[in-house]
Amino acid sequence: MTPAPVVVPEPKAEPARPPEPKPAPTVESTPQKPVPAAPKKVMPKDVAVLTGSLLGGVRLEHKQHVARAGNKCETCHHASKPEKPAAAPQQACSECHTKAAVPPMKTKYQAAFHNPAAQSGTCIDCHKAENAKGKKAPVKCTECHKKDNT
Ligand code: HEC
Ligand code: HEC
Ligand code: HEC
Ligand code: HEC
């Protein structure tokens, strides 16, 4: 003979709590006009080491280059473009220019700096112009890309 199953009574649901009374409005809780978010401010490092190429990293003396560019940030940091609008006036190039360009982006990471033969581009155009005036700015692959740049 099987014993009658023991029926455990279901625990009664807790009675719903009454809603918390709202605190009286204070100066702090008075709704304020929405303040527009301040643009993201990132401080540039004095030196940026750019990595990605198998030839080695490129050590960019950022602070010195700001002076070389006559304080014109836009020489390298172009203005926002519609395909991928900028979140800040200056951002890491790699945030938008990836190893292979993902549509609608067309300019891959390498092309953001120079063409495949490294004959022209953001860095080399100025280096060639400066060298024509007697400076010694690198134009050869291994003058920029160095294995020990980490
Ligand atoms: C010679 C080219 C060049 C010039 C001129 C230049 N920058 Fe840069 N800047 C770069 C490169 C390249 C990076 C590194 C981007 C990366 O890490 O991919 C960088 C990085 C930065 C970063 C860090 C971005 C981040 O989110 O990591 C800031 C901020 C910045 N620059 C501000 C400035 C300001 C402000 C000026 C002008 C006063 C300026 N830059 C001028 C090339 C330049
Ligand atoms: C917020 C996104 C964003 C960042 C950050 C960014 N770019 Fe661009 N870049 C674009 C877009 C969008 C285009 C236009 C579409 C394309 O060519 O892929 C472009 C195009 C370019 C081009 C092609 C020529 C031209 O002006 O149209 C170069 C070169 C370039 N970027 C270099 C750089 C360098 C160098 C940096 C970092 C110092 C940088 N970009 C940072 C979005 C960005
Ligand atoms: C506005 C002009 C200009 C631009 C743009 C520029 N450079 Fe230069 N760069 C120079 C000059 C000028 C020198 C040589 C300075 C000297 O020795 O008198 C130089 C030198 C260098 C050197 C040698 C070490 C040093 O800093 O003296 C490296 C590496 C270099 N640049 C990398 C870059 C890279 C990477 C970029 C692009 C992100 C770039 N440069 C963009 C002007 C420029
Ligand atoms: C004026 C400096 C400079 C010179 C000269 C230069 N490059 Fe670059 N190159 C860069 C910078 C900066 C980048 C972006 C950072 C990185 O990938 O190391 C880059 C990126 C690249 C990339 C892309 C890596 C990636 O992640 O997509 C390749 C490949 C490359 N360079 C090859 C070369 C070759 C080959 C030469 C010579 C024919 C050369 N570079 C000359 C500065 C230079």
Side-chain angles (χ1 to χ4, degrees):
M1 213 178 87
T2 35
V6 183
V7 179
V8 182
E10 294 254 335
K12 270 205 189 134
E14 288 245 334
R17 278 168 184 260
E20 295 267 330
K22 278 212 179 127
T26 61
V27 178
E28 283 80 15
S29 69
T30 313
Q32 305 255 327
K33 267 195 203 151
V35 179
K40 199 174 84 180
K41 181 113 179 100
V42 188
M43 284 304 291
K45 297 187 192 116
D46 287 357
V47 177
V49 180
L50 303 162
T51 54
S53 171
L54 295 173
L55 287 170
V58 179
R59 188 182 157 89
L60 174 71
E61 295 285 346
H62 189 273
K63 201 177 174 182
Q64 289 187 40
H65 272 85
V66 167
R68 288 166 187 165
N71 232 33
K72 288 201 192 76
C73 314
E74 64 277 17
T75 305
C76 302
H77 297 276
H78 60 71
S80 182
K81 293 174 189 280
E83 293 90 334
K84 197 166 178 19
Q90 294 93 23
Q91 276 174 267
C93 318
S94 54
E95 281 180 32
C96 302
H97 296 281
T98 46
K99 201 158 182 76
V102 180
M105 292 294 290
K106 300 182 293 280
T107 307
K108 64 175 181 170
Y109 189 56
Q110 180 183 8
F113 297 95
H114 59 72
N115 63 355
Q119 291 304 303
S120 66
T122 309
C123 317
I124 290 156
D125 291 348
C126 179
H127 284 187
K128 283 186 167 174
E130 289 293 321
N131 289 350
K133 293 187 259 167
K135 288 271 171 47
K136 281 196 160 51
V139 289
K140 291 200 186 106
C141 314
T142 51
E143 287 172 341
C144 280
H145 294 279
K146 293 181 179 167
K147 291 277 188 209
D148 48 346
N149 277 344
T150 44

